[in-house]
Amino acid sequence: MVDRKRKRAYEDDDESFQDYRPRVPKRQRIPPVVQLCKEMMPDICTIGESPKAFADDIKFLSEAVVNEYGHEEYFNNAFLNTLRSVTLEQPHKQPAIALLILAINSGNQVAGKSILNFFFDELQKCCDASAEDTGPSESNDTGPWNKVKLYLRMLSLLSPMIINDDIIGIYQRLLDLAVQLNNIDENKRNALSEAIFTNTILNIPYLFYFKRGDDETLKNHVEELITTVEGAYKMRISNIKLLSEYDSNSPYEITELIQVALPNVKKVLANNMDQLSQLFCDWKDLLPEQPDNYGFNDALRLPDIEKLSNYSSLLNGVGSVDNMWKGPRYCFHVYLPHSSGEFDTVLPVSSYAGQLFNDVVIDVVQSLEFNRKEVCKQLNILPLFFKEGIFANMGDSIAQIAAIYEENPLASTFKLEDLEIEAILSLIFKLPDVSQPFAYFYTLLVDICQNNPKAIAPVFGRAFRFFYNNIESLDFELRQRFLDWFSVQMSNFNFSWKWNEWEEDSEKFRDSFYNPKIIFMKNLVRKELRLTSNVSEVDDSLPNEFKKFMETSYLPAEEVQEFYQSLFTNYQVKLEDAKKNDLLFTQSDIPFESIVRDLADYVHKQNDVREISELEAIIEKLREYSSEITNFDRFIVVLLTQVVVHCGSRSLSHANKYITDLKDELTAIFNKLEIENEAKEQAIIDAVLAYWNINSQTGYLIVDALKFSELVSAKSVLNHCLSEKNGRVYALADITAIDTIFRTLSQQLITNAGDNEAFEFVFEKLCLGLKSSIETIGVSQADNIVLPDLSQQSEIDPINELPKLEIIWKYFATLGFVKSILRKYSSQYLPLVEKFTTGMTNVISHEPTQKQLLEWINEVPQI
Amino acid sequence: MSSTLAEFDELKWDHSVKRLDKPSSYLLRKARRNPNGLQDLRQSLVSATIYVGNLSFYTSEEQIYELFSKCGMIKRIIMGLDRFKFTPCGFCFIIYNEPKEALNAVKYLSDTKLDDKNITIDLDPGFEDGRQFGRGKNGGQVSDELKFEYDAARGGFAIPLAQRIAPRFGQPKHMPHRGGRRNNNRFRSQFDNYPTNEEAMSTGKSRYSGSNNTGNPNELANGEENIPEQSGMQEDEEEDNYVPQ
């Protein structure tokens, strides 16, 4: 219709014009092969996601590939690349992909052989890459050895089309390599060797995925392989205290992944592979007859030991699973066995299934980090790729599971949610470093919860409680990570939490400054307040007992009042004025108030109209009032700093702008004053934090800006946080001060890489703190300092005993801080090990403390 | 005018799912209309700058810092302001120290909640002075003037309800913005290169029809998506090139 109309319209025109008729450009047709790929590849990526269509999918896909493969390079490349990406990014789908390949092989041997060669070549490439310094890798790159693991798993799945000797040969070579690396140094753990050993062993059962029990020669080969490696591989269990998640009283025993790998595989292969058939899907019916067994074109070439030993520390970038092996892989637990009844909710890591699921979840989370929504989805459908009945129903509560268990003790009590969240938490709580930015894991957990809040929220709740209950022994740095995670989670879910559970703790230790639980609750509420502009929402979520935490002052108002009072001779600073987030010096009853206003006007001026002489004149005018002021030079520092901070109080960028604009003038003025540099810098920091006492986070961020403008040094900032004020060291209890220390040290790492001064300073300061705590506790040289049992049954009176408890908590917090910095900045502390060993023993004479510190210091080279 | 966007249009098979740290479809569409589009897109991957949208007007810079510093070290936050009132109007730019950190923010923080709002994050070629101001008639963001729902966190109704309903009722929402330049042939022709859904479906009878026509795949493999939505909704959000006089 439309066309005809248009045609007529043109025909009505001048005939010759018709030639110039603007044509609607033809749609560019997409070549059929591209179109085919666009339709087919997504289906390969989602294979197995709808179990009902699985058999059809395999049939149609394999038929299509059988017909297409080998005709066009574009198709071949697209197809092989897709196979690779699924293999590496979604390892749970490997068996389904393998089945597809086997089906293709039965219809098109050329295609089958070519796919097999492709995987072998990829495996070879990874082996080659492992001995080369390839520079920083992508954040979803799990590292060459982890990829070797995944390719080997794929090849093992393809065992029905491979000559047994050839596939076993690869295992042999890899395990030999692991043994050789392990033997380089008898006394030292070899990270790479442990990774290769555990990864390779974990893959063995996959050889039998499609060949269960019917290939005796393969079975014999495997048995032989296991016996040989068992005899040749000497396991080195290293319990590095610096890496332990708990300082004392760990709620679970420490096990390393490498310890469980071989026994797990032996167990799963025993009894005619009974356990294996309960874990892997049975797709025998779908498996077509395989025409022939292929060998590999070449033998696998592994890099030289010498070359590898350069990289055996596995110093790989972000995201790398290889890198996780840098320290011993300790098993991490949150949902302990028997914690909620007679049953376990997480498959034990001492079972093959438990170890494998943990491995798969970590691989998916790491390699799909570029799409967290997809990670959620894949984790949710994980059971589709394993035998039915491994897990209890999604979302069953603990009570429901307990009831089911009572009725039928053979029914599964394992919760997929528990397993997955435990694995993700193990990544958040990984020491010494995390593999991805925290934000990824936090939002991933938020997404998982958002997809199914009813099922997941209680699982999180149990984790929160677990960490909260163990917070006294939890590592100092991990407490901050826990806090961070908790606050992000809450801010995404309307801040709802069953605070009532913690009411008793809050009441019992209400006056405490150092109690770890109080510290946690206080910082949590403050963090929440910083994440919202709707204060009433947080307020409403809190029961009365916790409203006290809504008061966000860093120092008690009286101390701020004292600070201001110390500047004046006559003027009396009022408490309510000190509480305000405002410039105190503009109070109308301050005699030189108008001069302060001039000063503010000056700061407000544009860059091109400000003259430093004007500023100097204002300061000269102030001199007339020096009788009102105790220490004129210090006063000027405080006043100028606060005026600048006040002018920039609207937002952080305002503050930054004024500081950058005025830094030269401030430096010039301050340099003319008669005040020691250290005192001057302390006065600047005190001034900022007195102004921002209600929001010390902003205060410290402004101090950061001052540091970048070189008005204060890193050392002064650290000193400020770590100094004791009225018996309180804020760096042990206030998250904003703790964060400032970590932030400052991390920035030092970037800007002054060769300079260890700041690191040394923090260590020494903490040691001095320990010394004074030990003296106050009054313990004899040889006696241990122990935290009294504070459980409900204990008879300690928290009110009368509080002063004593406080000092013990303080002692442990300081000790925990030392542990955290030694671990986190091990590379900076490494050159200082010797110095600390002698220096520290001179300062601290208390033997158990000395022993503990020495143990950690000596572990620094192993991090 | 560059209608194809080189590497951004290329079909790749190197991942099993799509990446979240790619330029959004909005950015791609904008780039197609812009002579420097391709350059801008490339720039957006290395500028270390992101655009954050759908913020509550009440969200402060400090709150933004608290959340976004979890992805990397922040160099600067530039709040989007109402160009008349100089108050926050629901968007901001964040400049990180490193491009990787900006990509991380896009990957990890898009669609999470800040102040109860699901924030949107997009890559950005880099901040220029003037872009911090809303470009809507009332000084805020254009998107707010088009919204129908009452949103307390974003200034309630932009235009009183009665006024909005009466003249616009029954009309496409964005008629006033669709006229002129954007509706001309130049604009249309770029999108004509893309197969529509129907077309894609009619090319084969079975699910994986064989290829009997051999075109050059590399030359034509542009555009991973099917026809991009032509609604002007996103178009009018953010990206304020208006410089106040």
Side-chain angles (χ1 to χ4, degrees):
Chain A
M1 267 290 274
V2 177
D3 273 338
R4 212 179 301 154
K5 249 189 197 166
R6 199 184 281 171
K7 203 173 175 188
R8 208 179 312 130
Y10 281 113
E11 275 167 0
D12 289 345
D13 286 343
D14 183 32
E15 278 289 313
S16 60
F17 189 76
Q18 203 177 345
D19 290 340
Y20 302 101
R21 170 160 53 127
R23 287 165 193 271
V24 178
K26 274 193 184 156
R27 279 212 168 109
Q28 217 169 5
R29 291 215 178 265
I30 195 164
V33 64
V34 178
Q35 186 59 41
L36 172 71
C37 290
K38 277 178 81 167
E39 287 171 37
M40 189 198 248
M41 301 316 156
D43 281 359
I44 294 178
C45 293
T46 54
I47 198 163
E49 288 185 13
S50 59
K52 276 187 197 151
F54 183 61
D56 280 350
D57 277 340
I58 294 282
K59 183 167 171 280
F60 288 127
L61 280 168
S62 62
E63 277 170 10
V65 179
V66 163
N67 291 329
E68 286 302 317
Y69 197 88
H71 296 309
E72 281 191 53
E73 220 188 314
Y74 185 87
F75 176 83
N76 292 1
N77 285 339
F79 176 64
L80 292 175
N81 282 335
T82 306
L83 291 187
R84 178 183 51 204
S85 59
V86 181
T87 305
L88 296 181
E89 292 169 356
Q90 305 187 38
H92 51 295
K93 290 184 182 163
Q94 277 194 11
I97 294 287
L99 185 64
L100 175 67
I101 297 171
L102 292 168
I104 293 168
N105 185 46
S106 75
N108 182 343
Q109 280 179 264
V110 179
K113 172 76 179 138
S114 152
I115 296 168
L116 189 64
N117 286 343
F118 170 76
F119 277 111
F120 182 82
D121 292 345
E122 291 296 314
L123 177 70
Q124 183 64 61
K125 273 188 222 164
C126 288
C127 292
D128 296 342
S130 67
E132 281 159 24
D133 187 5
T134 45
S137 53
E138 292 282 315
S139 47
N140 63 304
D141 190 340
T142 57
W145 291 107
N146 198 56
K147 286 192 231 164
V148 166
K149 170 187 82 183
L150 294 168
Y151 287 132
L152 179 63
R153 191 175 298 170
M154 191 50 151
L155 291 174
S156 308
L157 279 159
L158 297 175
S159 64
M161 61 188 276
I162 308 177
I163 297 170
N164 281 345
D165 285 347
D166 277 38
I167 182 77
I168 291 291
I170 298 185
Y171 275 92
Q172 245 154 11
R173 286 178 153 265
L174 285 169
L175 290 173
D176 277 350
L177 180 69
V179 171
Q180 284 176 35
L181 284 168
N182 196 39
N183 290 345
I184 292 178
D185 186 343
E186 290 278 320
N187 304 314
K188 217 171 132 196
R189 160 184 184 272
N190 185 297
L192 183 56
S193 162
E194 287 192 358
I196 298 176
F197 176 83
T198 315
N199 285 346
T200 311
I201 294 285
L202 190 67
N203 281 336
I204 291 179
Y206 275 95
L207 285 166
F208 301 100
Y209 202 101
F210 294 107
K211 270 189 156 186
R212 239 160 283 166
D214 49 5
D215 190 333
E216 283 304 319
T217 46
L218 184 64
K219 256 191 190 172
N220 294 338
H221 275 311
V222 167
E223 261 170 46
E224 209 178 301
L225 191 75
I226 291 179
T227 327
T228 325
V229 75
E230 203 174 9
Y233 198 90
K234 293 198 178 45
M235 238 164 265
R236 294 199 182 85
I237 304 307
S238 38
N239 187 356
I240 302 180
K241 295 275 166 36
L242 219 41
L243 294 178
S244 126
E245 291 114 11
Y246 295 89
D247 296 339
S248 57
N249 308 332
S250 173
Y252 46 83
E253 261 182 54
I254 291 168
T255 355
E256 283 185 43
L257 271 189
I258 189 168
Q259 283 173 281
V260 294
L262 197 58
N264 280 346
V265 168
K266 279 165 73 182
K267 258 189 283 173
V268 84
L269 295 180
N271 293 334
N272 219 4
M273 302 187 196
D274 222 18
Q275 281 188 25
L276 213 56
S277 46
Q278 286 162 26
L279 174 66
F280 290 159
C281 298
D282 188 4
W283 287 333
K284 267 226 164 97
D285 305 344
L286 299 173
L287 182 71
E289 188 74 20
Q290 291 304 301
D292 203 358
N293 284 343
Y294 311 111
F296 299 122
N297 293 343
D298 302 293
L300 185 69
R301 294 182 311 277
L302 290 172
D304 296 338
I305 298 279
E306 294 77 48
K307 262 191 170 176
L308 275 180
S309 47
N310 293 337
Y311 296 98
S312 57
S313 54
L314 296 157
L315 284 168
N316 229 314
V318 178
S320 161
V321 177
D322 282 354
N323 197 36
M324 288 188 192
W325 287 96
K326 212 175 133 199
R329 288 278 298 264
Y330 296 123
C331 303
F332 180 81
H333 302 279
V334 177
Y335 307 105
L336 297 181
H338 302 304
S339 56
S340 24
E342 284 292 292
F343 51 85
D344 294 357
T345 60
V346 177
L347 281 151
V349 76
S350 57
S351 71
Y352 179 70
Q355 195 187 352
L356 182 68
F357 273 111
N358 187 44
D359 187 80
V360 169
V361 172
I362 288 178
D363 278 346
V364 172
V365 170
Q366 293 284 352
S367 57
L368 282 183
E369 58 81 46
F370 51 82
N371 189 334
R372 52 181 225 272
K373 305 265 172 202
E374 194 65 30
V375 174
C376 287
K377 183 182 151 199
Q378 293 305 327
L379 291 183
N380 207 17
I381 57 172
L382 205 58
L384 293 180
F385 299 89
F386 293 87
K387 187 99 177 186
E388 262 185 80
I390 297 174
F391 296 103
N393 288 336
M394 183 82 174
D396 272 2
S397 68
I398 295 292
Q400 279 166 312
I401 290 180
I404 295 171
Y405 179 75
E406 203 157 291
E407 215 167 275
N408 173 15
L410 292 176
S412 173
T413 59
F414 300 126
K415 281 167 71 74
L416 175 71
E417 312 88 288
D418 284 22
L419 182 140
E420 288 169 352
I421 286 157
E422 191 174 270
I424 298 171
L425 287 174
S426 80
L427 297 173
I428 294 181
F429 286 73
K430 175 90 185 140
L431 291 174
D433 300 309
V434 270
S435 50
Q436 305 280 3
F438 287 117
Y440 170 51
F441 300 122
Y442 297 159
T443 53
L444 177 62
L445 287 175
V446 167
D447 284 350
I448 291 178
C449 192
Q450 240 149 15
N451 284 349
N452 194 351
K454 235 177 124 188
I456 303 296
V459 182
F460 282 0
R462 280 158 53 222
F464 292 153
R465 281 179 204 113
F466 175 77
F467 290 123
Y468 176 81
N469 290 334
N470 289 298
I471 204 157
E472 279 166 9
S473 50
L474 189 67
D475 179 84
F476 187 80
E477 190 186 343
L478 295 188
R479 289 183 206 174
Q480 323 313 328
R481 294 191 197 172
F482 172 42
L483 179 68
D484 215 21
W485 168 47
F486 202 157
S487 64
V488 172
Q489 185 64 34
M490 302 265 274
S491 73
N492 273 278
F493 290 90
N494 306 328
F495 302 104
S496 52
W497 171 246
K498 292 178 185 162
W499 283 96
N500 292 333
E501 294 178 10
W502 297 346
E503 214 163 289
E504 203 178 311
D505 290 332
S506 168
E507 272 169 28
K508 210 155 112 189
F509 304 115
R510 58 167 44 242
D511 298 322
S512 166
F513 181 75
Y514 287 115
N515 176 279
K517 287 181 175 168
I518 294 285
I519 292 177
F520 179 77
M521 292 187 262
K522 195 201 271 179
N523 282 319
L524 179 61
V525 175
R526 290 182 178 193
K527 236 177 197 304
E528 286 182 2
L529 288 170
R530 286 206 297 276
L531 277 166
T532 184
S533 57
N534 190 358
V535 176
S536 61
E537 197 178 14
V538 176
D539 193 23
D540 292 346
S541 73
L542 294 174
N544 278 337
E545 172 60 31
F546 300 94
K547 303 259 190 215
K548 60 186 177 202
F549 298 131
M550 294 287 293
E551 211 276 305
T552 59
S553 303
Y554 183 68
L555 300 173
E558 293 74 20
E559 281 180 40
V560 181
Q561 183 190 20
E562 226 170 86
F563 165 75
Y564 284 121
Q565 192 60 64
S566 73
L567 302 167
F568 295 101
T569 47
N570 293 322
Y571 179 75
Q572 288 303 311
V573 178
K574 290 182 274 307
L575 187 63
E576 53 270 32
D577 291 340
K579 278 183 187 166
K580 282 185 206 149
N581 180 205
D582 199 1
L583 191 61
L584 178 109
F585 306 107
T586 50
Q587 295 297 327
S588 54
D589 50 353
I590 286 187
F592 44 81
E593 168 256 336
S594 68
I595 306 179
V596 176
R597 290 192 191 278
D598 290 345
L599 208 52
D601 289 342
Y602 174 83
V603 171
H604 272 302
K605 278 187 186 168
Q606 294 289 329
N607 276 346
D608 45 358
V609 289
R610 271 196 331 266
E611 286 289 339
I612 190 159
S613 52
E614 196 186 330
L615 181 59
E616 283 164 343
I618 300 175
I619 292 171
E620 272 319 300
K621 258 202 268 173
L622 267 176
R623 265 192 207 282
E624 294 168 20
Y625 296 90
S626 35
S627 62
E628 295 284 335
I629 296 159
T630 47
N631 175 341
F632 187 76
D633 296 302
R634 177 164 176 262
F635 177 78
I636 291 297
V637 174
V638 171
L639 176 67
L640 267 181
T641 310
Q642 280 213 345
V643 169
V644 172
V645 170
H646 176 70
C647 292
S649 63
R650 199 164 144 184
S651 75
L652 273 180
S653 27
H654 285 85
N656 278 333
K657 178 193 171 294
Y658 284 110
I659 290 168
T660 340
D661 284 356
L662 282 129
K663 77 172 195 200
D664 293 336
E665 282 138 281
L666 291 179
T667 317
I669 299 281
F670 290 168
N671 283 346
K672 282 186 198 155
L673 298 173
E674 281 172 25
I675 180 167
E676 290 282 318
N677 199 38
E678 205 173 305
K680 177 191 78 190
E681 294 189 358
Q682 283 311 323
I684 295 177
I685 302 173
D686 282 340
V688 175
L689 281 156
Y691 185 92
W692 279 107
N693 193 46
I694 52 150
N695 189 343
S696 54
Q697 172 74 355
T698 306
Y700 275 121
L701 290 174
I702 291 172
V703 169
D704 261 10
L706 291 165
K707 196 187 76 190
F708 289 130
S709 295
E710 293 174 357
L711 285 158
V712 295
S713 64
K715 198 176 157 187
S716 295
V717 179
L718 296 168
N719 189 36
H720 179 90
C721 298
L722 287 162
S723 295
E724 192 160 315
K725 295 177 192 73
N726 288 339
R728 294 172 165 194
V729 180
Y730 284 85
L732 299 175
D734 188 291
I735 186 72
T736 61
I738 297 170
D739 278 350
T740 304
I741 292 185
F742 283 126
R743 203 170 51 233
T744 310
L745 289 179
S746 298
Q747 279 161 1
Q748 281 299 105
L749 213 57
I750 301 167
T751 48
N752 299 5
D755 185 6
N756 295 335
E757 195 199 336
F759 298 89
E760 201 177 334
F761 175 76
V762 175
F763 180 83
E764 283 170 5
K765 190 96 183 161
L766 288 171
C767 282
L768 291 174
L770 277 175
K771 187 186 175 203
S772 88
S773 299
I774 295 165
E775 279 163 9
T776 325
I777 295 171
V779 69
S780 78
Q781 299 294 17
D783 282 351
N784 278 325
I785 298 173
V786 272
L787 201 60
D789 173 26
L790 292 169
S791 57
Q792 283 171 341
Q793 297 82 27
S794 85
E795 289 173 2
I796 290 179
D797 174 9
I799 294 172
N800 292 330
E801 297 280 322
L802 193 64
K804 199 176 154 201
L805 288 171
E806 284 285 90
I807 197 75
I808 297 179
W809 283 320
K810 183 182 170 193
Y811 166 82
F812 280 111
T814 319
L815 208 55
F817 209 142
V818 175
K819 181 187 170 200
S820 294
I821 54 157
L822 284 177
R823 178 183 58 225
K824 197 173 169 71
Y825 305 106
S826 57
S827 57
Q828 299 314 106
Y829 283 113
L830 192 58
L832 299 168
V833 164
E834 229 169 281
K835 194 172 171 189
F836 282 175
T837 314
T838 45
M840 185 273 298
T841 36
N842 288 340
V843 176
I844 295 172
S845 49
H846 182 239
E847 284 158 25
T849 310
Q850 212 180 64
K851 199 177 138 211
Q852 176 66 87
L853 288 172
L854 274 179
E855 187 179 25
W856 288 337
I857 292 171
N858 290 330
E859 282 173 353
V860 165
Q862 293 182 62
I863 304 299
Chain B
M1 171 161 317
S2 56
S3 60
T4 54
L5 295 172
E7 68 266 28
F8 295 94
D9 275 343
E10 223 174 284
L11 277 183
K12 286 187 192 145
W13 310 103
D14 51 355
H15 287 308
S16 59
V17 301
K18 73 167 196 207
R19 295 187 68 97
L20 297 181
D21 56 355
K22 290 282 173 239
S24 65
S25 56
Y26 163 70
L27 221 57
L28 288 174
R29 248 179 306 135
K30 199 180 120 183
R32 270 180 229 289
R33 291 202 310 266
N34 182 343
N36 290 327
L38 182 58
Q39 234 175 322
D40 276 358
L41 279 186
R42 286 181 180 151
Q43 188 56 33
S44 71
L45 294 177
V46 293
S47 66
T49 310
I50 51 169
Y51 162 88
V52 184
N54 201 32
L55 291 171
S56 154
F57 289 3
Y58 304 102
T59 301
S60 70
E61 215 179 297
E62 289 72 23
Q63 277 169 269
I64 294 170
Y65 182 93
E66 186 82 19
L67 182 67
F68 282 84
S69 60
K70 295 183 204 304
C71 280
M73 261 197 227
I74 295 175
K75 211 191 237 173
R76 198 175 158 201
I77 297 174
I78 301 137
M79 296 297 285
L81 301 176
D82 182 305
R83 69 173 195 271
F84 301 130
K85 290 185 273 185
F86 290 98
T87 53
C89 70
F91 71 97
C92 77
F93 297 95
I94 299 176
I95 308 176
Y96 280 98
N97 256 354
E98 306 220 8
K100 211 176 68 189
E101 296 168 332
L103 292 173
N104 283 345
V106 177
K107 276 188 288 192
Y108 305 147
L109 296 176
S110 289
D111 208 25
T112 51
K113 272 192 186 172
L114 180 59
D115 242 357
D116 251 358
K117 303 282 295 175
N118 279 49
I119 51 174
T120 57
I121 306 181
D122 209 343
L123 295 166
D124 193 274
F127 175 76
E128 279 164 32
D129 205 25
R131 288 185 63 205
Q132 70 269 46
F133 296 108
R135 149 205 91 151
K137 247 191 289 176
N138 297 335
Q141 283 196 285
V142 181
S143 60
D144 277 316
E145 294 176 358
L146 300 168
K147 71 168 186 255
F148 262 90
E149 324 75 44
Y150 177 84
D151 187 346
R154 288 182 69 96
F157 289 123
I159 306 163
L161 190 69
Q163 245 181 55
R164 261 172 336 120
I165 288 181
R168 292 193 183 198
F169 195 69
Q171 281 180 19
K173 247 194 201 167
H174 312 303
M175 275 311 268
H177 298 272
R178 297 303 316 274
R181 193 171 61 83
R182 285 188 194 155
N183 243 358
N184 68 15
N185 278 340
R186 273 197 317 170
F187 175 64
R188 282 191 57 78
S189 65
Q190 296 148 30
F191 293 111
D192 286 342
N193 296 337
Y194 296 87
T196 60
N197 269 326
E198 299 89 296
E199 200 181 31
M201 279 160 73
S202 63
T203 48
K205 281 157 210 80
S206 83
R207 280 208 294 172
Y208 308 112
S209 59
S211 59
N212 40 23
N213 173 0
T214 46
N216 179 355
N218 295 328
E219 195 180 286
L220 294 166
N222 60 340
E224 195 162 349
E225 289 168 74
N226 286 337
I227 206 157
E229 335 86 280
Q230 296 199 2
S231 105
M233 186 56 198
Q234 278 201 23
E235 236 160 70
D236 294 314
E237 274 184 25
E238 64 112 346
E239 292 323 302
D240 304 297
N241 293 316
Y242 172 87
V243 183
Q245 305 301 313

